[in-house]
Amino acid sequence: MAFPRREKPVSDFVAARHINEEISFIRNDHEVNGTIHKILENSVIVKISDNDAERIGVASNLTVVAHKNYSVG
């Protein structure tokens, strides 16, 4: 038996986001700039430079950032 998916309201901030939009966030005491690769319900997948990926200690140039933890621009 499957339960129907409940639609959740989307905040105006999240609704205004779009693919390839530039954002910035802080990770491991470094300010990182990147572009939105995919928009999820509670976060975005962000494409960052290989240099930034190395600075913040992640294995690839894609990282997940919660909507509350980034700023646009």
Side-chain angles (χ1 to χ4, degrees), residues 31-65:
E31 182 174 355
V32 181
N33 296 308
T35 57
I36 296 176
H37 180 72
K38 185 173 183 177
I39 302 167
L40 305 171
E41 187 174 327
N42 296 312
S43 58
V44 288
I45 298 177
V46 182
K47 185 172 185 177
I48 60 175
S49 71
D50 291 333
N51 185 39
D52 282 338
E54 187 175 317
R55 280 190 336 167
I56 64 173
V58 294
S60 78
N61 66 340
L62 295 176
T63 190
V64 178
V65 182

Side-chain angles (χ1 to χ4, degrees), residues 7-17 39-42 67:
E7 292 297 320
K8 296 181 181 178
V10 176
S11 74
D12 291 340
F13 178 79
V14 175
R17 303 291 56 89
I39 302 167
L40 305 171
E41 187 174 327
N42 296 312
H67 291 303

